[in-house]
Structures are given as C-alpha cells and as structure tokens.
Amino acid sequence: PQPRNSLLLGILIFLLFSMSKFKNGHKLKLAVAMGIFLIPIFFGRFKPQISLNELKGEEVEVARFARDNTDRDAVFLIPANLESFRLVAQRAIFVDFKVDPFSDDARREWYKRMLEINGTKYNQITDLKIGDIRKNYQISYVVLFSETKTSFPVIYENAKYKIVALK
C-alpha cells in the first residue's frame, strides 16, 4: 500500500500544479473531480469487488485442484472457454479465448492452437487428438468434460470436469 499511496499522492500534486493552465472556474471543478476520485483511493476505500476465494462452481473447483496438486510448471490443455482456470490454477495453459497476442507471430501461434483444439467439438476430443497435440507441445494434463471418454488416468473429477494426466 505504501508505494501506491506515494504514487497517488504524486499524481495528485502533479495535477494540482498543472491546474494553473485552467481558468478559475475550471480549477475548482478539476479539484473537486480529483478529490472525488483520488482521495478515496489514497485512503484505501476502494476494495476489489470479489476475491478468488469467493469464486465457486465446478470450473473453480477443477482449477483449485490443479493449483494444489500439480507442479507449478505443468501445462494444461483446457476447454478454450474455461475462463478462470489460468487465474485460479496459477498454471500455464495451451490456449484459451482470453489471450491477447501482441505480435503477428503470437497471433499466428494462438490461431494455430485454436485450430488444434477446435477442429472438433472439445467435448468430443479423442485420446488420439490429445496425443497429437502432446507430440508437438509439452502438455502435462488435460481438463476434459466429465462425459468425455478417455483412457488416460483420471486424477480428479467433479460433476462437470475431470483432469487426466499425460505423464
């Protein structure tokens, strides 16, 4: 909190000094706006609306299992719309919809990976397809829908998802 408060105080001081360019009526409006926005932040009045501990559901349960029971360097193949998995599990993933590639090469790689998993419906992905992906990438585990058939060993399962080990 201390560095954040110092930064915010610096911003506030900078804005106050830069107000000399404004007419008197605008200075007051700017000062009031800054006070409404910066002072509550400076004194820590704004808190996150939700914490990771408050998240619930099968998606979060599978991610928590992954976080608590796999190596930190494990890489997961997951359904691309499993939005909170990376954040909760704190594990690398093969690909998802949330990525924002910054370069042309990264965009091409993201697209290639999306085609790898979306060539078929993910709930119908086969062990053969998983094996093909595994040959080209260092995938450690796969999150499947619970109804997806597989011969890989299941290490976790809930009502909606299961995790299989590829090691």
Side-chain angles (χ1 to χ4, degrees), residues 107-118:
R107 270 186 224 96
R108 281 189 285 277
E109 181 63 25
W110 175 83
Y111 183 70
K112 178 181 167 189
R113 290 179 182 215
M114 289 302 293
L115 289 176
E116 286 277 357
I117 66 168
N118 287 329

Side-chain angles (χ1 to χ4, degrees), residues 53-159:
N53 294 331
E54 294 172 355
L55 296 175
K56 303 213 181 316
E58 288 88 357
E59 180 177 330
V60 175
E61 290 171 11
V62 74
R64 284 190 180 130
F65 178 87
R67 179 193 63 206
D68 296 340
N69 296 282
T70 63
D71 293 335
R72 292 187 69 64
D73 62 346
V75 179
F76 283 77
L77 175 62
I78 65 170
N81 63 348
L82 204 58
E83 294 181 359
S84 64
F85 185 88
R86 183 193 323 231
L87 183 63
V88 175
Q90 300 171 10
R91 298 294 181 271
I93 61 169
F94 178 68
V95 70
D96 70 357
F97 289 131
K98 288 289 200 177
V99 74
D100 187 14
F102 292 109
S103 69
D104 289 341
D105 288 343
R107 270 186 224 96
R108 281 189 285 277
E109 181 63 25
W110 175 83
Y111 183 70
K112 178 181 167 189
R113 290 179 182 215
M114 289 302 293
L115 289 176
E116 286 277 357
I117 66 168
N118 287 329
T120 60
K121 292 182 180 178
Y122 192 86
N123 66 341
Q124 297 173 354
I125 195 166
T126 64
D127 286 353
L128 183 62
K129 183 65 175 173
I130 292 168
D132 287 344
I133 294 171
R134 182 181 179 197
K135 283 180 198 172
N136 299 317
Y137 302 93
Q138 300 298 317
I139 305 296
S140 314
Y141 300 92
V142 182
V143 176
L144 298 169
F145 292 104
S146 58
E147 69 272 3
T148 304
K149 297 186 184 331
T150 183
S151 61
F152 291 111
V154 176
I155 62 166
Y156 173 81
E157 189 166 9
N158 64 26

